[in-house]
Amino acid sequence: MKIIVTDEVAQEGLAILQRDPRVQMDIKLGLKKEELYSIIGDYDVIITRSGTTVDKPLLDHATNLKLVARAGVGVDNVDVDYASAKGVIVVNAPFGNTNSAAEHAMALLLSFCRNVTKANGSLKGGAWKRAPFTGYELKGRTAGVIGLGKVGGRVATRLKAFECEVLACDPYIAEKRAHDLGVKLVTLDEIIKNCDIITVHTPLTSETQNMIGKKELAAMKDGVIIINAARGGIINEEAMLEALDSGRVAGAAFDVWSQEPPDSEILKKLIGHEKMVVTPHLGANTFEAQVNVAVDVAKEILRYMDEQPIENAINIPKFDASLMGQMRPYLNLVNVLADFIIQLADTNLNKITFTYTGGLAQYDCTPITVCGLASLLNRRVEQEVNMVNAQLVADNMGIVIEEVKSTQSEDFSNLITVTIEGPGEKRLISGTVFEGVPRIVKLRDYQMDFRPEEHMLLLAYGDRPGIIGKIGTILGKHEINIAAMNLGRREKKGEAMVILSLDSAVPADVVEEVRAATDATFVKPLYLVTAK
């Protein structure tokens, strides 16, 4: 295995590879593009950081390249899509900075609580003042950790060491993880209402953007302390500024910003606020983190050489051509089913079951299972989840994965059912392929038959006259066109379920209007990326 290193990478990582007799490594730093193009065809692996652009021209010259190893979190300098088209695996090191990020969150919290930054400036300015810098202890306080992944879990452990009572919110992890960490798993509302300290550790997604805004800040305890060392934009910065000005929030400490570097007036005011402790996105900026990312990508290369699952692949390696020919329509179907059902989950996932019935069950369904699992998890975790690492990510989250197969099927020649289970909740969806197009044929115990679309609205309500008309009137008033409707019910005047295919998304206020008008027991707008 010939490896070229084109950027400065910690020696601790390179040494792992250099000890392996199968590896021939060349360290060539500062090459011009033309020089790199002329030699890259000789190598199987390239190890980079941010200094080398792995773009289409480079990949076209890299005729033997099998793996791009980015010793860091970001892959902005790698054309991942083109690498995938060329069959080149791209790996990064998304968790090499886990400990650094956790420690930085604690550093921010302690700096605020003990007035470190203010006292430091005062003393260096020649003053000897103590009374203005009276601080807070952590002992005995209730701390809320939003997001109990690798960073959030470490923060929770450290807060417990400071004798805090720790509550955690993360609807996408198993209860076992919270139990193992010794924290109490609660809802986001409980965190908001009960905690003296709130720290966020989630990825920035459509679900988490502005997750803490004006409404949430108003519901918090007076004197709450807020920490954000995760991603800018999770906490609405304008609302944060208002809460600091009003005194509702005692203070906050941010390492990340919705705009980096910050240049809006709101951000400038927030950064300059006397109740804020701020740093310029330093969470991963430690010597140890640089070593960790180098070690992590080195281990990924060894896993590849040993034909073991790769934990942090950005893209998806190709399956055997004959297998793909059999599975391709069902890979698309399972993506749609997974994308649909995960949006209905309101609890922590403990178990996911993939059931295959009919002729499909005669084949190896593992690629379908892994593909579906990746789709389920990819909405919920910060790292990129794909067929290479989906099972490993699920294992780390404590989720049990089961595959069930039966060649006996009464209604459909091939049927895939995805079932997700958590405490007190079980959700099920079934689908098939008709003329190459995915169809959803069952939701929970309702028999349905509809084609999934990009924008959908699902409602469950007491079956009575006039409800469908009310829904249509409200959506029409807001210029949201209904493309198709499918209704299911078990009995007359019992519970009914309707799924609407729409031409556009339904805003949150319209969802609430529909809920109020129909007395719906369940309303959920759905956005299916896989149905685009």
Side-chain angles (χ1 to χ4, degrees):
M1 178 73 69
K2 293 190 67 175
I3 300 174
I4 184 171
V5 182
T6 58
D7 294 319
E8 290 280 0
V9 175
Q11 181 57 37
E12 290 86 345
L14 301 182
I16 293 173
L17 295 168
Q18 290 168 330
R19 289 194 292 266
D20 192 307
R22 298 171 294 175
V23 170
Q24 177 187 331
M25 180 184 295
D26 294 326
I27 300 174
K28 296 181 179 291
L29 310 180
L31 292 175
K32 294 181 179 179
K33 284 185 178 181
E34 293 73 17
E35 294 174 321
L36 183 54
Y37 293 167
S38 68
I39 61 174
I40 191 64
D42 295 333
Y43 294 95
D44 302 291
V45 178
I46 181 172
I47 300 177
T48 75
R49 293 195 68 199
S50 57
T52 302
T53 301
V54 184
D55 53 10
K56 184 178 184 296
L58 177 59
L59 289 164
D60 283 338
H61 284 88
T63 52
N64 291 313
L65 198 64
K66 300 172 181 65
L67 193 76
V68 176
R70 167 69 166 91
V73 177
V75 288
D76 295 345
N77 59 315
V78 181
D79 189 335
V80 177
D81 290 339
Y82 194 67
S84 300
K86 300 281 286 186
V88 177
I89 300 170
V90 180
V91 301
N92 67 340
F95 298 117
N97 62 3
T98 297
N99 192 67
S100 293
E103 289 188 359
H104 195 67
M106 292 301 299
L108 290 172
L109 174 60
L110 290 166
S111 293
F112 173 80
C113 287
R114 299 311 301 268
N115 291 300
V116 171
T117 55
K118 292 180 180 179
N120 176 73
S122 174
L123 185 57
K124 287 193 173 184
W128 180 262
K129 297 179 181 179
R130 300 175 63 194
F133 306 123
T134 304
Y136 306 94
E137 289 188 3
L138 297 185
K139 181 180 178 180
R141 292 181 178 269
T142 301
V145 179
I146 302 174
L148 207 59
K150 295 201 172 190
V151 176
R154 286 175 181 258
V155 171
T157 300
R158 284 152 178 75
L159 288 167
K160 283 181 64 65
F162 277 88
E163 300 182 66
C164 289
E165 178 188 358
V166 181
L167 308 182
C169 167
D170 192 328
Y172 310 114
I173 65 157
E175 289 177 295
K176 181 179 181 297
R177 173 161 173 77
H179 182 268
D180 291 344
L181 290 169
V183 304
K184 183 180 180 183
L185 208 56
V186 299
T187 65
L188 178 60
D189 284 344
E190 290 176 275
I191 295 273
I192 297 296
K193 293 175 183 177
N194 298 315
C195 291
D196 305 302
I197 299 162
I198 296 176
T199 178
V200 294
H201 301 284
T202 71
L204 180 64
T205 67
S206 58
E207 290 183 75
T208 62
Q209 188 163 23
N210 295 317
M211 178 171 61
I212 296 179
K214 191 171 184 178
K215 176 183 173 184
E216 291 75 19
L217 288 163
M220 291 179 186
K221 295 174 67 174
D222 285 335
V224 68
I225 300 167
I226 299 174
I227 309 298
N228 186 8
R231 289 290 184 270
I234 296 171
I235 299 173
N236 184 285
E237 289 148 335
E238 185 173 2
M240 184 78 253
L241 182 60
E242 292 176 3
L244 289 168
D245 285 339
S246 71
R248 162 72 68 176
V249 174
F254 282 20
D255 180 49
V256 288
W257 313 92
S258 59
Q259 205 176 42
E260 295 182 358
D263 63 4
S264 73
E265 286 305 310
I266 292 293
L267 289 181
K268 288 177 181 177
K269 288 180 181 178
L270 187 62
I271 290 169
H273 202 285
E274 63 175 359
K275 296 180 182 178
M276 286 286 292
V277 171
V278 297
T279 51
H281 205 149
L282 300 180
N285 207 22
T286 64
F287 295 108
E288 291 83 358
Q290 304 311 314
V291 171
N292 291 340
V293 296
V295 169
D296 286 352
V297 295
K299 289 180 177 178
E300 292 283 58
I301 294 169
L302 291 180
R303 290 187 190 101
Y304 174 80
M305 293 169 60
D306 294 332
E307 298 184 350
Q308 298 297 314
I310 300 174
E311 294 186 13
N312 298 309
I314 298 297
N315 55 356
I316 301 173
K318 296 179 180 179
F319 281 109
D320 178 78
S322 63
L323 182 64
M324 284 299 294
Q326 296 166 1
M327 298 301 183
R328 188 174 290 110
Y330 298 100
L331 291 171
N332 185 28
L333 172 62
V334 80
N335 274 330
V336 170
L337 296 177
D339 203 12
F340 192 107
I341 197 170
I342 195 62
Q343 296 182 65
L344 306 183
D346 295 322
T347 186
N348 308 295
L349 298 184
N350 290 338
K351 184 178 180 181
I352 304 171
T353 304
F354 294 85
T355 303
Y356 305 95
T357 50
L360 185 63
Q362 301 176 50
Y363 301 103
D364 177 12
C365 294
T366 302
I368 304 176
T369 296
V370 176
C371 184
L373 180 59
S375 291
L376 282 164
L377 299 179
N378 214 21
R379 280 181 173 265
R380 308 306 182 195
V381 298
E382 188 166 4
Q383 71 184 111
E384 185 77 17
V385 184
N386 55 42
M387 293 186 189
V388 176
N389 62 359
Q391 183 64 58
L392 289 163
V393 173
D395 290 344
N396 289 336
M397 296 173 71
I399 301 172
V400 175
I401 309 302
E402 185 176 24
E403 185 178 299
V404 178
K405 298 166 70 175
S406 172
T407 56
Q408 303 300 314
S409 178
E410 296 180 2
D411 300 320
F412 302 94
S413 57
N414 291 297
L415 188 73
I416 299 177
T417 299
V418 181
T419 307
I420 58 178
E421 299 176 55
E425 183 178 76
K426 181 176 181 178
R427 299 205 178 266
L428 176 150
I429 188 170
S430 297
T432 189
V433 174
F434 182 70
E435 295 183 348
V437 178
R439 305 284 301 186
I440 294 177
V441 297
K442 190 175 184 180
L443 281 173
R444 208 170 71 190
D445 50 353
Y446 288 94
Q447 301 300 321
M448 314 285 279
D449 185 7
F450 63 90
R451 176 177 176 171
E453 301 290 349
E454 183 178 359
H455 299 291
M456 308 195 83
L457 183 66
L458 177 66
L459 297 93
Y461 56 89
D463 188 20
R464 58 193 188 278
I467 297 298
I468 298 299
K470 288 181 179 180
I471 298 169
T473 299
I474 293 170
L475 295 180
K477 180 178 67 174
H478 294 282
E479 298 186 348
I480 300 170
N481 191 51
I482 300 175
M485 180 185 75
N486 192 272
L487 179 67
R489 64 180 186 174
R490 289 188 294 264
E491 58 184 359
K492 291 182 179 179
K493 296 185 178 180
E495 186 187 52
M497 180 179 288
V498 66
I499 182 77
L500 303 170
S501 300
L502 308 170
D503 288 348
S504 58
V506 185
D509 58 334
V510 180
V511 173
E512 290 306 312
E513 189 176 345
V514 170
R515 186 196 306 274
T518 60
D519 290 326
T521 56
F522 183 86
V523 183
K524 185 72 176 182
L526 302 168
Y527 173 62
L528 301 184
V529 178
T530 50
K532 279 185 172 182

